[in-house]
Amino acid sequence: MSSPERQKALKGMKDVLPPDIYLWQKVERTASELFSAYGFREMRTPVAEATAVFSRGIGEGTDIVEKEMYTFEDKGGRSITLRPEGTASAVRCFVENQLHTLPSPQKYYYLGPMFRYERPQSGRYRQFYQIGAEVFGSAAPAVDAEVMSMLRHFLMRLGLGSLNFQVNSIGCEECRPGYKQALLAYFAPVTGDLCPDCQRRYLHNPLRILDCKVRRCIELRKDAPRVTEHLCTGCEAHFRKLLDLLKLLNVPYTVNHEMVRGLDYYTRTTFEVTSEDLGAQNAVTAGGRYDNLVRNCGGPDTPAFGFATGIERIVDLLKQTLLPPEPAPAIFIAALGEQAHDAAMVIADGLREEHIWVELGEPAASLKSQMRKADRLSSEYVFILGDDELNSGLISWKRLSDGTAGKVSRADVGSFLSGRR
Ligand code: HAM
């Protein structure tokens, strides 16, 4: 008989196991605790949506929609897509659930897997996790600043406070067409020298030539007109106020005129947080304002602002300075004989109800092998339970780190730890 074939996780998708998972949990806990203090509540949306949610939301001509979506037909013949990002889903949810009828602004955060059919490399996966936050219902630059400051506090709490914020404004429906014309005029004499991708971008979305990584394109755009020189009065005032507020809130930033982002929905503010310690995929967080998206998705006129951060990239950074702590049991109960093991199960049950981590030895194992196991698990205490202990009602304990030992009555086991830690 041939041996069964061993299956592997799909390319670009990975298992997350201890000890890394402790860092993931820390990142997720930090986000939910801190974001709550800013009034954000959690939103959970399905991982799959009708394809139109993303093709309309993110934009037909974007790399994500053109090349990277996991799209398939379900058994009912509908076109379904695994979400490549969270904003379009959040907007669909906002509109469908009429969240605009609640007091403005509405603030939500989300956390979960996203799917993009990209070429996998270090820091770039086909299934990756984002933590995102979105504010609906305010056009004020104060919201942009407040959310970016919240993000900075989040990164600081994780020990990543030195990361740099790059900020830009890409204008609005009123001023962006003029800027596009200026770019087209600038690149017109050199279109043949641009890389093939940028030659396409020239025709469909010339702003994206500004963040092309090809050296020749970088040289050619050296003297390209800057978007901030073409902003209308409203966008200019929004950007100035945002920069003032970022200073006031001590968010360190640099203005990057070339940061235009690869999703179509942005208006005015765009920003990214990058790290030099991540290699080619150096964006840790990205976001911006999207004042027209809710309306374009069938909702009422609702300005919005948000960001998303990649959990894998944050964890990669944390691992460079912090080894994930391996948690250990508080108590290991070594029981000798069936009767003692039964009693140990009852004691463990009571302690676990108090959220104390208790491990039990194997029922038939020798004391020596149970002690070895307690040691391997780095348990803080070992309780020893044999006939003597059962008869006297006193349990022997030993603290493994310093060898101290003693006895505790069965009735006091619950309060044993509180006085000793
Ligand atoms: P994004 O720039 O496409 O923006 O992704 C945000 C973050 O997700 C990136 O900075 C990166 O950390 C992580 N990320 C993206 N793709 C991958 C990948 N293939 N593997 C690992 N990590 C990845 C958005 O998704 C927008 N929805 C952000 C936003 C929210 N804008 C407004 N609100």
Side-chain angles (χ1 to χ4, degrees):
M1 206 173 68
S2 64
S3 54
E5 194 187 336
R6 278 206 197 157
Q7 297 296 333
K8 284 185 167 173
L10 296 174
K11 193 173 167 192
M13 303 196 180
K14 62 170 191 173
D15 304 312
V16 186
L17 293 168
D20 283 16
I21 200 77
Y22 304 125
L23 290 179
W24 282 64
Q25 289 168 342
K26 181 181 160 131
V27 172
E28 292 166 6
R29 217 173 27 244
T30 305
S32 71
E33 282 170 10
L34 182 73
F35 295 1
S36 303
Y38 284 79
F40 284 75
R41 294 174 300 156
E42 188 177 354
M43 161 190 275
R44 289 192 194 191
T45 63
V47 289
E49 300 270 359
T51 300
V53 168
F54 305 112
S55 50
R56 254 187 245 138
I58 300 170
E60 294 282 1
T62 57
D63 282 356
I64 295 183
V65 172
E66 259 186 7
K67 307 185 219 160
E68 297 169 2
M69 295 209 301
Y70 277 88
T71 298
F72 57 95
E73 221 174 69
D74 73 2
K75 292 194 195 313
R78 302 170 199 89
S79 181
I80 306 285
T81 294
L82 298 184
R83 61 181 179 197
E85 57 108 51
T87 308
S89 301
V91 168
R92 195 271 310 138
C93 169
F94 182 85
V95 174
E96 182 174 344
N97 293 286
Q98 305 203 338
L99 300 179
H100 65 273
T101 56
L102 301 172
S104 269
Q106 283 290 307
K107 309 182 206 176
Y108 295 94
Y109 74 92
Y110 51 84
L111 183 165
M114 309 290 158
F115 302 84
R116 294 186 194 173
Y117 196 80
E118 292 192 85
R119 197 166 44 79
Q121 54 173 256
S122 170
R124 188 160 75 190
Y125 304 98
R126 288 181 173 171
Q127 175 177 319
F128 59 96
Y129 284 71
Q130 282 185 344
I131 297 178
E134 316 284 355
V135 180
F136 296 99
S138 172
V143 165
D144 312 26
E146 188 178 271
V147 174
M148 287 166 76
S149 175
M150 175 176 90
L151 172 64
R152 172 160 157 75
H153 282 291
F154 167 67
L155 295 169
M156 280 195 316
R157 277 203 193 179
L158 291 170
L160 304 173
S162 61
L163 298 182
N164 190 33
F165 283 62
Q166 296 184 42
V167 197
N168 196 16
S169 173
I170 57 166
C172 66
E173 279 167 329
E174 202 184 303
C175 52
R176 207 178 311 153
Y179 178 59
K180 272 190 187 168
Q181 284 310 320
L183 274 185
L184 290 175
Y186 172 84
F187 285 113
V190 293
T191 44
D193 298 334
L194 292 167
C195 75
D197 275 346
C198 282
Q199 295 194 14
R200 252 186 334 108
R201 289 172 184 144
Y202 182 83
L203 298 175
H204 303 295
N205 189 357
L207 261 74
R208 296 250 32 219
I209 300 175
L210 297 177
D211 68 0
C212 175
K213 305 280 185 291
V214 174
R215 194 184 300 158
R216 181 82 187 116
C217 298
I218 296 174
E219 268 165 30
L220 286 171
R221 69 175 181 241
K222 230 175 40 244
D223 301 317
R226 290 180 163 189
V227 61
T228 43
E229 289 156 6
H230 288 258
L231 296 178
C232 61
T233 329
C235 290
E236 159 90 32
H238 186 101
F239 194 46
R240 289 278 137 247
K241 183 67 189 174
L242 168 63
L243 298 185
D244 286 348
L245 288 171
L246 291 178
K247 257 187 225 136
L248 188 71
L249 295 169
N250 294 319
V251 179
Y253 68 85
T254 39
V255 174
N256 177 352
H257 299 283
E258 295 185 337
M259 212 242 324
V260 293
R261 310 274 300 120
L263 302 100
D264 275 358
Y265 48 63
Y266 291 111
T267 49
R268 295 192 164 169
T269 313
T270 54
F271 80 97
E272 267 185 16
V273 181
T274 51
S275 164
E276 282 159 15
D277 299 325
L278 277 178
Q281 299 305 312
N282 66 354
V284 179
T285 309
R289 187 159 269 292
Y290 48 100
D291 289 344
N292 304 326
L293 186 57
V294 175
R295 189 186 61 220
N296 291 345
C297 294
D301 224 340
T302 310
F305 181 90
F307 69 79
T309 190
I311 301 188
E312 288 82 356
R313 294 188 190 173
I314 296 229
V315 167
D316 276 355
L317 286 174
L318 292 182
K319 276 167 72 176
Q320 292 176 17
T321 52
L322 184 77
L323 281 178
E326 183 73 73
I331 294 169
F332 184 98
I333 309 183
L336 296 168
E338 191 177 334
Q339 223 188 333
H341 195 269
D342 291 353
M345 285 185 77
V346 176
I347 294 170
D349 212 41
L351 291 169
R352 288 164 176 164
E353 210 183 331
E354 303 295 319
H355 296 194
I356 295 168
W357 181 3
V358 183
E359 288 291 334
L360 286 176
E362 284 288 311
S366 68
L367 180 61
K368 198 169 159 198
S369 90
Q370 293 193 59
M371 292 302 280
R372 220 183 296 128
K373 185 158 177 204
D375 208 35
R376 210 168 48 232
L377 289 173
S378 306
S379 181
E380 198 178 349
Y381 288 93
V382 182
F383 283 6
I384 298 163
L385 210 56
D387 289 343
D388 287 353
E389 283 80 5
L390 281 181
N391 293 334
S392 66
L394 285 176
I395 299 172
S396 311
W397 60 263
K398 186 175 174 192
R399 188 184 172 124
L400 291 186
S401 56
D402 56 12
T404 48
K407 287 188 190 293
V408 56
S409 85
R410 242 183 109 159
D412 293 336
V413 157
S415 53
F416 174 80
L417 279 179
S418 39
R420 301 197 160 267
R421 286 181 140 172

